[in-house]
Amino acid sequence: MKSQDIRKAYLQFFESKGHTIVPSAPIVLKDDPTLMFNNSGMAQFKEFFLGNGTPKSNRIADTQKCLRVSGKHNDLEDVGFDTYHHTMFEMLGNWSFGDYFKKEAINWSWELLTEVYKLPKERLYVTVFEGDEQEGIPKSVEALACWKKLVPENHIVFGNKKDNFWEMGEQGPCGPCTEIHFDGRSEEDRNKVPGETLVNKDHPEVIEIWNNVFMMFNRLKDGSLQPLPKCHVDTGMGFERLVRIIQNVTSNYDTDVFTPLIAKVEEITGLKYTPNTQYPIPNTQEKTNIAIRVVVDHVRAVAFAIADGQLPSNTGAGYVIRRILRRAIRYGFTFLDTKEPFINKLVEVLANQMGDFFPEIKSQQQLVTNVIREEEASFLRTLEQGIQLLENVMVNTSGKEVSGEKAFELYDTFGFPIDLTALILRERGFSLDEAGFETELQKQKARSRAASEVSTEDWSVLIPGNVETFVGYDQTENDVKITRIRKVDSKKDGILYQIVLDNTPFYPEGGGQVGDKGILVSANETIDIIDTKKENNLILHFAKQLPENVNATFTAKVNTDLRASTSKNHSATHLMHLALRTILGTHVEQKGSLVNPNYLRFDFSHFSKVSDEELRQVEASVNTQIEAQLQLIEHRNIPIKEALDKGAMALFGEKYGDSVRMIEFGDSKELCGGIHVKNSAEIWHFKIISEGAVAAGIRRIEAITGDAVKAFYTNQENTLSEIKEVLKNPQDVLKSVASLQDDNAKLKKQIEQLVKEKIDGLATSLVSEFQDVNGINFLVKQVDLSMSATKDLTQAIGTSKPNSFVVLASIEEGLPNIHCYIAKELVANKGLNAGTVIRELGKYIDGNGGGQPFFASGKGKDVTGITAVLENAVNFLK
Ligand code: SER
């Protein structure tokens, strides 16, 4: 079976068992602050297990794109070294929400594996939870009884809490599980060592393929287990491993999930990948194999994350994606000798391979390719610079060991990989203080851990079973009761309370729009709501304090001033989106959006700078739509298909239900959950304030509307008046500024000429001041020039005589600077080094600096040290 067919067969099987098939949720999570990426099929259903909200069917199945690269489940460092861990993988899953339980789940999994996929029964082993006294959970007798009817007893292995009790995190839904393992060893090996002894022992050929979790508890903050209102089934089967077994190969990378990608890497690099069957593998070949596995694995994770809307960046999820890509670039650079961007070329292969089932990778192919290419180019530059910096570090290191601090600086500030540092140092006969590096790394980790520490209490539920309704499209004020409260203590925000209401007019942050602020008012007290956010199906209202009487009836009041400004910016964003697509073309797609009361920010795909003329046209188009007084038409609950047929724009990476909300203003139609003006005329006016690049092929526009535009023009007017005043109120301001610029340019030229003459003059007169010290032409002097002129002068004098050793110092803007020139023959024959001279002399002026052995410069903070510099320079010659 081809991998495509294996996936299809899974979904068809569970459809035949009454399951609704749903698409994979985006790989990047948007409304779960506890998780960056989907790391298992069940993540998107978490709240259903806990009883918050109802799924659209009690039986669901899908294949979910997962990423296990951060938090509790992190496989990143294993990837490449073994043949069965991945950053991105697909997890096939079937779920029962309070419907069927152990018996059906176990029987169906057996039926699918042995009758549909026809896996040999004798190679399958299962594990059953042995119980845990401390937790007070008994052995899973029901699961055991089910398995006993299907497999011989020596194929059943009991497992403890570590292997057979699945938890998604420190807190949250959990339960005992039963796993299915496959023994892929040769007959001979199987006869020697029985398979059951190798289950869950990290044997590369006896591997887990399917986990059936029976969700029965919620793990609370204090570590205790609270029974869930209903029992559920959550299963997850690693798609790539399943394919490997069915295709009868011994490595996931030898399946058709990876072979087309590997073939492309081979074509680009001219190197060969040896499949897992070819033993023994020589050392250099093994390095090539590892690097190729890293590249073909990582490109999938990065490409799908970008297609789902997560660009590489310097923070959060974007940083994780950047690090994955950099790991691949770095393996390519060192072991595949790829010094030019090449990973982006794999995207086409991936799109052809997976585009049928995951259309996002096909439709975003161009963008994904461009973003990866740009990231590659920029990191390759970093690697080159890093290598240069490392050269300097070696030159300036007195012994043969480079300090951990220096290596850490390269790693932390320039993103230079530590293993590459170690490798280069080794090749050059240097060693690295690895323990020192580790200490620095741990210090930094501790700092960032401390900064992001969050302690979340369990919910205290005041009104159980309530499902909150959002009334904020029609109201900004309503009577409410508090249904649950949770305290969260974080380093970043201090103590905050999250309050859930029975219904709420507060809009929770989402779709780019910030959350509402406002107040909760009861007869006796008023509580400020400082933000509103969504967590899965709950709307959380954030407050710095709790009301004294949490059981009172409150009026929830949204701050309508802020909301009015925000809604103007949100509606203007839609109008601008349409204008961009009309003026620049329909390749423009939304890639990010922020809408707050002050301004709007919109990122979109477009491959060149938006010209001033185009920006003017976009502005004019939006303002025409504003003037046309377009009435808001809101379809609150329209089937998604109907909305798309009407031409509504949907976003990749967004999770839509079967029915959606659609917002229309004239020709602008978008699927959107946000808050809008009732008529476009309310926006008053639209003004773009900036345009620029965010990443390759992604532009960003920032714009303002309404009162912010008025303030903007008032500000402009004031600035103009001030300029006029400074220029003594000329008749024509423009002309006056132009003539100032002219004068300035002329003066600059004159100064440059004068400085050059001064340097030439000094160079000639200083030649007579050279002294002979041990046969070396030595000159040391303080001059009255700028730093850059002193630098030029040092070189000019240094080259005017053979065997020269020149040190010049000067002061610029109150700070000392020093320069050293050493003739090449002295560097070669006497082992003198300008870098060392500057480093040593720099100590007198509280400074630092460096350069090359024949020329180096430094800057300091203490001018009083110049005398000591001048006195001590000669010591280098003694
Ligand atoms: N939640 C379980 C897992 O991720 C089964 O889906 O392994």
Side-chain angles (χ1 to χ4, degrees), residues 110-143:
W110 191 252
E111 184 184 333
L112 176 66
L113 292 180
T114 58
E115 286 169 35
V116 178
Y117 293 138
K118 305 215 180 316
L119 295 184
K121 292 181 183 163
E122 66 281 7
R123 286 178 178 267
L124 292 169
Y125 291 84
V126 302
T127 64
V128 170
F129 183 47
E130 67 186 11
D132 190 288
E133 220 168 281
Q134 235 175 358
E135 298 272 15
I137 319 170
K139 177 161 141 180
S140 291
V141 281
E142 193 188 343

CSV table of all heavy atoms in Angstrom, one decimal, residues 110-143:
chain,number,residue,atom,x,y,z
A,110,TRP,N,-7.7,-3.8,16.6
A,110,TRP,CA,-7.2,-5.1,16.2
A,110,TRP,C,-7.8,-5.5,14.8
A,110,TRP,O,-7.0,-5.9,13.9
A,110,TRP,CB,-7.7,-6.2,17.2
A,110,TRP,CG,-7.0,-7.5,17.0
A,110,TRP,CD1,-7.6,-8.6,16.5
A,110,TRP,CD2,-5.7,-7.8,17.2
A,110,TRP,NE1,-6.7,-9.7,16.4
A,110,TRP,CE2,-5.5,-9.2,16.8
A,110,TRP,CE3,-4.6,-7.1,17.7
A,110,TRP,CZ2,-4.2,-9.8,17.0
A,110,TRP,CZ3,-3.3,-7.7,17.8
A,110,TRP,CH2,-3.2,-9.1,17.4
A,111,GLU,N,-9.0,-5.2,14.5
A,111,GLU,CA,-9.6,-5.5,13.2
A,111,GLU,C,-8.9,-4.7,12.1
A,111,GLU,O,-8.5,-5.3,11.1
A,111,GLU,CB,-11.1,-5.1,13.3
A,111,GLU,CG,-11.9,-5.5,12.0
A,111,GLU,CD,-13.4,-5.0,12.1
A,111,GLU,OE1,-13.9,-4.8,13.2
A,111,GLU,OE2,-13.9,-4.7,11.0
A,112,LEU,N,-8.7,-3.4,12.4
A,112,LEU,CA,-8.1,-2.6,11.4
A,112,LEU,C,-6.6,-3.1,11.1
A,112,LEU,O,-6.3,-3.3,9.9
A,112,LEU,CB,-8.0,-1.1,11.8
A,112,LEU,CG,-7.2,-0.2,10.9
A,112,LEU,CD1,-8.0,0.0,9.6
A,112,LEU,CD2,-7.1,1.2,11.5
A,113,LEU,N,-5.9,-3.4,12.1
A,113,LEU,CA,-4.5,-3.7,11.9
A,113,LEU,C,-4.4,-5.1,11.2
A,113,LEU,O,-3.5,-5.3,10.3
A,113,LEU,CB,-3.7,-3.8,13.2
A,113,LEU,CG,-3.5,-2.4,13.9
A,113,LEU,CD1,-2.7,-2.6,15.2
A,113,LEU,CD2,-2.7,-1.4,13.0
A,114,THR,N,-5.2,-6.0,11.7
A,114,THR,CA,-5.0,-7.4,11.2
A,114,THR,C,-5.8,-7.7,9.9
A,114,THR,O,-5.4,-8.5,9.1
A,114,THR,CB,-5.3,-8.4,12.3
A,114,THR,OG1,-6.6,-8.2,12.7
A,114,THR,CG2,-4.3,-8.3,13.4
A,115,GLU,N,-7.0,-7.1,9.8
A,115,GLU,CA,-7.8,-7.5,8.7
A,115,GLU,C,-7.7,-6.5,7.5
A,115,GLU,O,-7.8,-6.9,6.4
A,115,GLU,CB,-9.3,-7.7,9.1
A,115,GLU,CG,-9.4,-9.0,9.9
A,115,GLU,CD,-10.8,-9.1,10.6
A,115,GLU,OE1,-11.8,-8.6,10.0
A,115,GLU,OE2,-10.8,-9.7,11.7
A,116,VAL,N,-7.6,-5.2,7.8
A,116,VAL,CA,-7.5,-4.2,6.7
A,116,VAL,C,-6.0,-4.1,6.3
A,116,VAL,O,-5.7,-4.3,5.1
A,116,VAL,CB,-8.1,-2.9,7.1
A,116,VAL,CG1,-7.9,-1.9,6.0
A,116,VAL,CG2,-9.5,-3.0,7.5
A,117,TYR,N,-5.2,-3.9,7.3
A,117,TYR,CA,-3.8,-3.7,6.9
A,117,TYR,C,-3.0,-5.0,6.8
A,117,TYR,O,-1.9,-5.1,6.4
A,117,TYR,CB,-3.0,-2.8,7.9
A,117,TYR,CG,-3.5,-1.4,7.9
A,117,TYR,CD1,-3.7,-0.7,9.1
A,117,TYR,CD2,-3.7,-0.7,6.7
A,117,TYR,CE1,-4.2,0.7,9.1
A,117,TYR,CE2,-4.2,0.6,6.7
A,117,TYR,CZ,-4.4,1.3,7.9
A,117,TYR,OH,-4.8,2.6,7.9
A,118,LYS,N,-3.7,-6.1,7.3
A,118,LYS,CA,-3.2,-7.4,7.3
A,118,LYS,C,-1.8,-7.6,7.9
A,118,LYS,O,-0.9,-8.2,7.4
A,118,LYS,CB,-3.2,-8.0,5.8
A,118,LYS,CG,-4.5,-7.9,5.1
A,118,LYS,CD,-4.7,-9.0,4.2
A,118,LYS,CE,-6.1,-9.0,3.5
A,118,LYS,NZ,-7.2,-8.7,4.3
A,119,LEU,N,-1.6,-6.9,9.0
A,119,LEU,CA,-0.3,-7.1,9.7
A,119,LEU,C,-0.3,-8.5,10.4
A,119,LEU,O,-1.3,-9.0,10.9
A,119,LEU,CB,-0.2,-6.0,10.8
A,119,LEU,CG,0.0,-4.6,10.4
A,119,LEU,CD1,0.2,-3.7,11.6
A,119,LEU,CD2,1.1,-4.4,9.3
A,120,PRO,N,0.9,-9.2,10.3
A,120,PRO,CA,0.9,-10.5,10.9
A,120,PRO,C,0.7,-10.4,12.4
A,120,PRO,O,1.4,-9.7,13.2
A,120,PRO,CB,2.4,-10.9,10.6
A,120,PRO,CG,3.1,-9.7,10.2
A,120,PRO,CD,2.1,-8.7,9.7
A,121,LYS,N,-0.3,-11.2,12.9
A,121,LYS,CA,-0.7,-11.1,14.3
A,121,LYS,C,0.4,-11.5,15.3
A,121,LYS,O,0.6,-10.9,16.3
A,121,LYS,CB,-1.9,-12.1,14.6
A,121,LYS,CG,-3.1,-11.7,13.9
A,121,LYS,CD,-4.3,-12.7,14.2
A,121,LYS,CE,-5.5,-12.2,13.4
A,121,LYS,NZ,-6.5,-13.2,13.2
A,122,GLU,N,1.3,-12.4,14.8
A,122,GLU,CA,2.3,-12.9,15.7
A,122,GLU,C,3.4,-11.9,16.0
A,122,GLU,O,4.2,-12.0,16.9
A,122,GLU,CB,2.9,-14.2,15.2
A,122,GLU,CG,3.7,-14.1,13.9
A,122,GLU,CD,2.9,-14.1,12.6
A,122,GLU,OE1,1.6,-14.0,12.7
A,122,GLU,OE2,3.4,-14.1,11.5
A,123,ARG,N,3.4,-10.8,15.2
A,123,ARG,CA,4.4,-9.7,15.5
A,123,ARG,C,3.8,-8.6,16.3
A,123,ARG,O,4.4,-7.6,16.5
A,123,ARG,CB,4.9,-9.2,14.1
A,123,ARG,CG,5.8,-10.1,13.4
A,123,ARG,CD,6.2,-9.5,12.1
A,123,ARG,NE,7.2,-10.4,11.4
A,123,ARG,CZ,8.5,-10.3,11.5
A,123,ARG,NH1,9.1,-9.4,12.3
A,123,ARG,NH2,9.3,-11.2,10.9
A,124,LEU,N,2.5,-8.7,16.7
A,124,LEU,CA,1.9,-7.6,17.5
A,124,LEU,C,1.9,-7.9,19.0
A,124,LEU,O,1.6,-9.1,19.4
A,124,LEU,CB,0.5,-7.4,17.0
A,124,LEU,CG,0.4,-6.8,15.6
A,124,LEU,CD1,-1.1,-6.9,15.1
A,124,LEU,CD2,0.9,-5.4,15.5
A,125,TYR,N,2.3,-6.9,19.8
A,125,TYR,CA,2.2,-7.1,21.2
A,125,TYR,C,1.4,-5.9,21.8
A,125,TYR,O,1.4,-4.9,21.2
A,125,TYR,CB,3.7,-7.0,21.8
A,125,TYR,CG,4.5,-8.2,21.4
A,125,TYR,CD1,5.1,-8.3,20.2
A,125,TYR,CD2,4.6,-9.3,22.3
A,125,TYR,CE1,5.9,-9.4,19.8
A,125,TYR,CE2,5.3,-10.4,21.9
A,125,TYR,CZ,5.9,-10.5,20.7
A,125,TYR,OH,6.6,-11.6,20.3
A,126,VAL,N,0.8,-6.2,22.9
A,126,VAL,CA,0.0,-5.1,23.5
A,126,VAL,C,0.4,-4.9,25.0
A,126,VAL,O,0.9,-5.8,25.6
A,126,VAL,CB,-1.5,-5.4,23.4
A,126,VAL,CG1,-1.9,-5.6,22.0
A,126,VAL,CG2,-1.9,-6.6,24.3
A,127,THR,N,0.2,-3.6,25.4
A,127,THR,CA,0.5,-3.4,26.8
A,127,THR,C,-0.8,-3.0,27.5
A,127,THR,O,-1.7,-2.4,27.0
A,127,THR,CB,1.5,-2.2,27.0
A,127,THR,OG1,0.9,-1.0,26.5
A,127,THR,CG2,2.8,-2.5,26.2
A,128,VAL,N,-0.8,-3.3,28.8
A,128,VAL,CA,-2.0,-3.0,29.6
A,128,VAL,C,-1.5,-2.4,31.0
A,128,VAL,O,-0.5,-2.8,31.5
A,128,VAL,CB,-2.8,-4.3,29.9
A,128,VAL,CG1,-3.9,-4.1,30.9
A,128,VAL,CG2,-3.4,-4.9,28.6
A,129,PHE,N,-2.2,-1.4,31.5
A,129,PHE,CA,-1.9,-0.7,32.7
A,129,PHE,C,-2.0,-1.6,33.9
A,129,PHE,O,-3.0,-2.3,34.1
A,129,PHE,CB,-2.8,0.5,32.9
A,129,PHE,CG,-2.4,1.4,34.0
A,129,PHE,CD1,-1.1,1.7,34.3
A,129,PHE,CD2,-3.4,1.8,34.9
A,129,PHE,CE1,-0.8,2.5,35.4
A,129,PHE,CE2,-3.1,2.6,36.0
A,129,PHE,CZ,-1.8,3.0,36.2
A,130,GLU,N,-0.9,-1.7,34.6
A,130,GLU,CA,-0.8,-2.7,35.8
A,130,GLU,C,-1.5,-2.1,37.0
A,130,GLU,O,-1.6,-2.8,38.0
A,130,GLU,CB,0.6,-3.0,36.1
A,130,GLU,CG,1.4,-1.8,36.6
A,130,GLU,CD,2.9,-2.1,36.8
A,130,GLU,OE1,3.4,-3.2,36.3
A,130,GLU,OE2,3.6,-1.3,37.3
A,131,GLY,N,-1.9,-0.8,37.0
A,131,GLY,CA,-2.5,-0.2,38.2
A,131,GLY,C,-1.4,0.6,38.9
A,131,GLY,O,-0.2,0.4,38.7
A,132,ASP,N,-1.9,1.5,39.8
A,132,ASP,CA,-0.9,2.3,40.6
A,132,ASP,C,-1.5,2.5,42.0
A,132,ASP,O,-2.6,3.2,42.1
A,132,ASP,CB,-0.6,3.6,39.9
A,132,ASP,CG,0.5,4.3,40.6
A,132,ASP,OD1,0.3,4.8,41.7
A,132,ASP,OD2,1.6,4.3,40.0
A,133,GLU,N,-0.9,1.9,43.0
A,133,GLU,CA,-1.4,2.0,44.3
A,133,GLU,C,-1.5,3.4,44.8
A,133,GLU,O,-2.5,3.9,45.3
A,133,GLU,CB,-0.6,1.1,45.2
A,133,GLU,CG,-1.4,0.3,46.2
A,133,GLU,CD,-0.5,-0.7,46.9
A,133,GLU,OE1,-0.2,-1.7,46.3
A,133,GLU,OE2,0.0,-0.4,48.0
A,134,GLN,N,-0.4,4.1,44.6
A,134,GLN,CA,-0.3,5.5,45.1
A,134,GLN,C,-1.4,6.4,44.6
A,134,GLN,O,-2.0,7.2,45.2
A,134,GLN,CB,1.0,6.1,44.7
A,134,GLN,CG,1.8,6.6,45.9
A,134,GLN,CD,3.2,7.1,45.5
A,134,GLN,OE1,3.5,7.0,44.3
A,134,GLN,NE2,3.9,7.6,46.4
A,135,GLU,N,-1.7,6.2,43.2
A,135,GLU,CA,-2.7,7.0,42.6
A,135,GLU,C,-4.1,6.4,42.9
A,135,GLU,O,-5.1,7.1,42.7
A,135,GLU,CB,-2.6,7.0,41.1
A,135,GLU,CG,-1.3,7.6,40.6
A,135,GLU,CD,-1.4,9.1,40.4
A,135,GLU,OE1,-2.4,9.7,40.9
A,135,GLU,OE2,-0.5,9.7,39.7
A,136,GLY,N,-4.1,5.2,43.5
A,136,GLY,CA,-5.4,4.6,43.8
A,136,GLY,C,-6.2,4.1,42.5
A,136,GLY,O,-7.4,4.1,42.5
A,137,ILE,N,-5.4,3.7,41.5
A,137,ILE,CA,-6.1,3.2,40.3
A,137,ILE,C,-5.8,1.8,40.1
A,137,ILE,O,-4.6,1.4,40.1
A,137,ILE,CB,-5.6,4.0,39.0
A,137,ILE,CG1,-5.4,5.5,39.3
A,137,ILE,CG2,-6.6,3.8,37.8
A,137,ILE,CD1,-4.7,6.2,38.2
A,138,PRO,N,-6.8,1.0,39.9
A,138,PRO,CA,-6.6,-0.5,39.8
A,138,PRO,C,-6.1,-0.9,38.4
A,138,PRO,O,-6.1,-0.1,37.5
A,138,PRO,CB,-8.0,-1.1,40.0
A,138,PRO,CG,-8.9,0.0,39.6
A,138,PRO,CD,-8.2,1.3,39.8
A,139,LYS,N,-5.6,-2.1,38.3
A,139,LYS,CA,-5.2,-2.7,37.0
A,139,LYS,C,-6.3,-2.6,36.0
A,139,LYS,O,-7.5,-2.7,36.4
A,139,LYS,CB,-4.8,-4.1,37.4
A,139,LYS,CG,-4.4,-5.0,36.2
A,139,LYS,CD,-3.7,-6.2,36.9
A,139,LYS,CE,-4.0,-7.5,36.2
A,139,LYS,NZ,-3.3,-8.6,36.9
A,140,SER,N,-6.0,-2.4,34.7
A,140,SER,CA,-7.1,-2.3,33.7
A,140,SER,C,-7.6,-3.7,33.4
A,140,SER,O,-7.2,-4.3,32.3
A,140,SER,CB,-6.6,-1.7,32.5
A,140,SER,OG,-6.3,-0.3,32.7
A,141,VAL,N,-8.5,-4.2,34.2
A,141,VAL,CA,-9.0,-5.6,34.0
A,141,VAL,C,-9.8,-5.7,32.7
A,141,VAL,O,-9.8,-6.7,32.0
A,141,VAL,CB,-9.8,-6.2,35.2
A,141,VAL,CG1,-8.8,-6.6,36.3
A,141,VAL,CG2,-10.7,-5.1,35.7
A,142,GLU,N,-10.6,-4.7,32.4
A,142,GLU,CA,-11.4,-4.8,31.2
A,142,GLU,C,-10.6,-4.8,30.0
A,142,GLU,O,-10.8,-5.7,29.1
A,142,GLU,CB,-12.4,-3.5,31.2
A,142,GLU,CG,-13.5,-3.7,30.2
A,142,GLU,CD,-14.3,-2.5,30.0
A,142,GLU,OE1,-14.2,-1.5,30.9
A,142,GLU,OE2,-15.0,-2.4,29.0
A,143,ALA,N,-9.6,-4.0,29.9
A,143,ALA,CA,-8.7,-4.0,28.7
A,143,ALA,C,-8.0,-5.4,28.6
A,143,ALA,O,-7.9,-5.9,27.5
A,143,ALA,CB,-7.7,-2.9,28.8
